[in-house]
Amino acid sequence: MYYIDSLLIKNFRNYKHQQVQFNPRLNILMGRNAQGKTNLLETIYYLSVTRSFRTNRDQELAHWDDRHFFLKGCFLKDDFSNEIQVSYRHNEQLKVLINSDPVKRYDHLQQFPVVIFSPDDLLLIREGPSTRRRFLNLEASRLSPVYFKELRMYQRILQQRNQLLKDKYNYTAINTLLDPWDQALVTSGTNIIHNRIEMIGELEKEAQLLFNQMTNCREKLSLKYVTSVEADGNLQLTKEKFYRNLIAKRDQELKRGSTAIGPHLDDLEISINGYDTRKYSSQGQKRTAALALKMAEVSLFKKQHNDCPIILLDDVFSEFDRERKSHLLAFLKENTGQCFITTAVGLNSLVESLNRDHKIINVHQGSISNEKGGLSS
Ligand SMILES: Nc1ncnc2c1ncn2[C@@H]1O[C@H](COP(=O)(O)OP(=O)(O)OP(=O)(O)O)[C@@H](O)[C@H]1O
Ligand SMILES: [Mg+2]
């Protein structure tokens, strides 16, 4: 079994200096509004992903009085202990150490899986394509180091190519200059597209199963990759189409100074009974779809690691109706990994029905005290 055993926090959000010991099974973070419950979940997520689920700007994470923060977490798996340390200092590169060895930021993305459920999950459905692209990139990178490497390469190629398109060369010169970048963009972009399509297929399988359970098979959830490139099942054919379409957009690209097609413009369509959830679904359907996707994410990590990821549930139970709550509860019972639940109210009945060894952690103004936990019966 895999879990986070202890955590040291310095200057992160509203925590000045805090040491916490966790229960390997279930941790209930209790406290009134604005005390630091979500901030605590954010530290665990940050250790796993080296990015927050709330912001891309690390400086927001440092305590207002400081321009640096430090986190140290001890993750245990099958008696092996891994200590992850991250230290942030304004205007410096993030330092990450695993068992005292320096590693590059994001290089351990696949190793310590953590999945966060939060009311913001709905944004995946509600917001524009860039939110879903970010989701695809993050998930695919957390599942595969190869994808992450390819993504970095694609982003570099895209940046260089866009720079060339912005520079005002004469038309013949630009074609010669662009040629190697066109080839590179197409090769790397095609790999990204095919990786994404494959991951979406896996995610769809899991999400459909869960969605069926939640809707008693009354409705069908589907996920489709929408690409600007006209992808084909065959890698070589996608490359050829990508290249042809790219050349056809040359004038437009030169006018705009940016690359007009490629995976940086693609989208994930989430639909129920064939209709795009973003445009046509009710609030309830959107919530159910978002929950199914999250649970599917857990299933993918579970398959990959042969072990449950750490699950963080931020305020989820207060947001859900009875039916969704009971599905989530059933899912948690099946997924026996370590779980963190934040709440502003008592969760006695939930803790009772989970029937798990647990710890209650009281959060008050950026400081933590423990209440007796135990095994509810
Ligand atoms: N960089 C920071 N430095 C200091 N305090 C911060 C920082 N960022 C956020 N905070 C403070 O942290 C508190 C919010 O913490 P958090 O989001 O964890 O609340 P919460 O306990 O989850 O509350 P709720 O139940 O309303 O979700 C706020 O009071 C906010 O002002
Ligand atoms: Mg909160």
Side-chain angles (χ1 to χ4, degrees):
M1 192 187 151
Y2 152 72
Y3 64 96
I4 178 165
D5 179 57
S6 62
L7 175 65
L8 172 66
I9 312 171
K10 289 185 191 169
N11 298 321
F12 189 97
R13 296 277 195 193
N14 65 341
Y15 291 92
K16 280 301 251 181
H17 188 282
Q18 185 69 56
Q19 170 80 40
V20 212
Q21 193 75 32
F22 296 121
N23 185 294
R25 310 296 309 283
L26 174 63
N27 297 276
I28 311 275
L29 312 182
M30 292 259 292
R32 302 227 307 264
N33 293 137
Q35 301 302 310
K37 302 182 297 294
T38 306
N39 295 347
L40 189 63
L41 297 188
E42 202 174 19
T43 62
I44 300 170
Y45 187 88
Y46 196 90
L47 281 168
S48 164
V49 181
T50 47
R51 200 171 90 179
S52 164
F53 53 85
R54 296 203 280 192
T55 176
N56 284 338
R57 286 183 295 274
D58 285 336
Q59 68 257 35
E60 286 175 20
L61 304 173
H63 191 288
W64 292 323
D65 298 346
D66 296 285
R67 307 186 102 196
H68 54 92
F69 67 78
F70 174 82
L71 301 172
K72 181 165 84 177
C74 180
F75 291 75
L76 297 185
K77 186 177 165 125
D78 306 330
D79 294 337
F80 287 107
S81 156
N82 286 291
E83 192 181 78
I84 310 177
Q85 295 180 42
V86 290
S87 48
Y88 163 83
R89 227 161 242 291
H90 187 62
N91 281 340
E92 285 181 20
Q93 245 182 11
L94 188 80
K95 288 199 184 82
V96 186
L97 298 178
I98 297 189
N99 298 328
S100 308
D101 290 331
V103 292
K104 273 206 218 129
R105 181 176 203 167
Y106 303 124
D107 268 8
H108 72 287
L109 262 182
Q110 302 82 23
Q111 288 185 46
F112 306 99
V114 168
V115 177
I116 170 96
F117 289 66
S118 95
D120 284 350
D121 294 342
L122 262 186
L123 298 181
L124 187 66
I125 288 172
R126 275 204 198 135
E127 293 212 330
S130 64
T131 306
R132 284 178 294 280
R133 275 197 300 272
R134 220 175 308 128
F135 165 79
L136 288 178
N137 283 339
L138 184 62
E139 288 322 302
S141 298
R142 292 173 75 190
L143 290 163
S144 152
V146 177
Y147 181 89
F148 180 60
K149 244 174 103 183
E150 193 70 68
L151 182 66
R152 279 199 154 162
M153 175 133 79
Y154 182 79
Q155 284 164 343
R156 270 199 300 272
I157 297 166
L158 187 67
Q159 199 187 9
Q160 304 268 7
R161 192 174 181 276
N162 284 345
Q163 197 51 55
L164 272 178
L165 288 168
K166 277 191 192 80
D167 293 343
K168 299 287 175 217
Y169 289 100
N170 72 55
Y171 200 68
T172 359
I174 193 83
N175 274 334
T176 322
L177 283 169
L178 275 175
D179 188 54
W181 294 107
D182 290 347
Q183 308 284 350
L185 187 89
V186 166
T187 304
S188 177
T190 301
N191 289 338
I192 302 253
I193 291 169
H194 278 258
N195 271 314
R196 284 184 184 169
I197 291 174
E198 196 184 324
M199 186 200 70
I200 290 168
E202 302 279 315
L203 193 68
E204 184 186 45
K205 259 191 262 161
E206 299 294 335
Q208 273 177 346
L209 270 176
L210 295 154
F211 194 79
N212 283 346
Q213 286 166 12
M214 283 191 275
T215 61
N216 283 327
C217 298
R218 277 192 307 269
E219 293 175 313
K220 187 170 183 225
L221 180 74
S222 357
L223 305 181
K224 191 176 130 209
Y225 188 60
V226 183
T227 173
S228 50
V229 166
E230 292 181 50
D232 199 290
N234 176 303
L235 209 74
Q236 192 51 38
L237 286 178
T238 303
K239 264 191 205 169
E240 285 164 18
K241 280 186 180 164
F242 192 167
Y243 189 72
R244 260 204 314 275
N245 289 337
L246 190 69
I247 301 300
K249 301 251 181 209
R250 187 69 102 224
D251 286 342
Q252 185 191 325
E253 287 193 327
L254 285 167
K255 246 183 246 151
R256 285 201 197 153
S258 66
T259 301
I261 58 166
H264 62 288
L265 296 169
D266 293 350
D267 198 358
L268 166 69
E269 192 180 278
I270 304 162
S271 46
I272 296 177
N273 294 339
Y275 293 100
D276 187 355
T277 43
R278 189 175 170 214
K279 295 185 192 134
Y280 301 107
S281 292
S282 71
Q283 282 301 337
Q285 283 175 313
K286 285 187 180 120
R287 278 188 204 284
T288 309
L291 180 60
L293 280 172
K294 272 286 142 176
M295 298 196 292
E297 197 184 321
V298 172
S299 305
L300 287 195
F301 283 123
K302 201 169 148 188
K303 271 192 180 161
Q304 189 191 33
H305 289 265
N306 224 350
D307 206 346
C308 294
I310 296 171
I311 296 180
L312 312 176
L313 299 174
D314 194 17
D315 244 348
V316 184
F317 283 94
S318 62
E319 291 272 322
F320 282 179
D321 61 13
R322 223 182 52 211
E323 217 177 311
R324 270 184 288 272
K325 265 185 209 164
S326 77
H327 282 292
L328 182 56
L329 199 66
F331 184 77
L332 291 178
K333 279 186 182 167
E334 259 177 50
N335 285 274
T336 50
Q338 188 181 31
C339 184
F340 291 79
I341 302 177
T342 69
T343 178
V345 294
L347 286 176
N348 289 342
S349 61
L350 173 91
V351 173
E352 250 169 52
S353 59
L354 275 174
N355 191 25
R356 253 191 224 185
D357 188 29
H358 67 276
K359 180 169 188 172
I360 294 171
I361 296 170
N362 287 309
V363 181
H364 179 68
Q365 293 182 352
S367 117
I368 278 167
S369 61
N370 299 324
E371 224 172 64
K372 195 162 81 10
L375 182 66
S376 47
S377 52

